[in-house]
Amino acid sequence: METGSPDDPGTAGATRAADRAGPADQPSPAGPADHAGQAGPAGPAGPAREEPVWTGLPPGLLRMRRLLLVVWLGLLTLAAGVLPALFLAPLWAALALLPLALLAWGWVMLGRNWRSWRYAERADDLLISRGVLWREETVVPYGRMQLVEVTSGPVERHFGLASVQLHTAAAATDATIPGLDPAEAERLRDRLTELGEARSAGL
């Protein structure tokens, strides 16, 4: 068998072609730097923070408070307008404008205050939020509850409302949820009592 020699023109041409093919024309194995730019499998994401499910107060509480406001300030407006006009001069009847302005302002503020009240039942505690100008949130841990009771005064009973009072080991965390429907107040009392007993027993 004959082999090519360096003097053979065909062999020399093939050698020169191989020399011209530099590293850029030849595939190179992928190094660590090439794998670093590739996105690896995503790791397990951390647990998402549980957002509280808020519950507002029924509109019956707003109606009760606004009715009381109209009754009290209505009587004051009548007294401020009629009595001075009868015993002093008709010009003094303008004093009735002051209670009327207070009535209008109180009507709006009662609505804003009612909308600010809400509560949320979370896994380990009860969250109560309220306030218009100064926002206040109270966290009541179930394990610190000592007494949960439902109260209803004469005016509340007339409007079909009840309040839930929470008493804890620390007086600073005592709280009240006013103006609830009696059925919701009793359900909340029973649930909070059950959760408090379970947390106290270490369950």
Side-chain angles (χ1 to χ4, degrees):
M1 176 181 298
E2 295 182 357
T3 59
S5 63
D7 297 333
D8 187 2
T11 306
T15 303
R16 287 194 299 270
D19 294 338
R20 286 195 300 268
D25 299 329
Q26 301 176 2
S28 59
D34 297 331
H35 294 288
Q38 300 177 359
R49 184 178 180 182
E50 180 184 359
E51 292 294 333
V53 180
W54 294 102
T55 302
L57 300 183
L61 177 65
L62 179 61
R63 289 195 297 266
M64 180 190 72
R65 290 177 173 178
R66 281 179 169 175
L67 179 61
L68 293 176
L69 178 70
V70 170
V71 169
W72 289 108
L73 288 184
L75 293 176
L76 182 59
T77 301
L78 185 63
V82 174
L83 295 180
L86 291 177
F87 295 100
L88 296 176
L91 186 61
W92 287 94
L95 291 175
L97 296 177
L98 183 59
L100 285 178
L102 187 60
L103 175 62
W105 177 81
W107 186 277
V108 175
M109 292 303 298
L110 284 177
R112 295 181 61 185
N113 179 266
W114 170 76
R115 285 188 294 270
S116 72
W117 272 88
R118 54 184 185 170
Y119 62 95
E121 301 174 55
R122 301 196 295 187
D124 298 317
D125 50 46
L126 179 70
L127 185 61
I128 303 174
S129 177
R130 60 201 179 275
V132 178
L133 298 179
W134 288 273
R135 196 73 178 176
E136 183 178 354
E137 288 189 355
T138 303
V139 179
V140 185
Y142 297 139
R144 299 181 65 87
M145 291 183 184
Q146 294 183 335
L147 176 64
V148 182
E149 58 181 352
V150 175
T151 61
S152 182
V155 179
E156 287 181 316
R157 287 197 302 271
H158 178 75
F159 285 89
L161 301 174
S163 299
V164 175
Q165 295 185 356
L166 310 173
H167 302 278
T168 64
T173 55
D174 288 356
T176 302
I177 305 178
L180 296 176
D181 294 328
E184 171 65 11
E186 293 176 2
R187 182 203 69 82
L188 192 60
R189 177 199 59 193
D190 296 341
R191 173 172 170 77
L192 295 179
T193 301
E194 180 182 356
L195 290 173
E197 292 175 352
R199 293 300 187 276
S200 298
L203 300 179

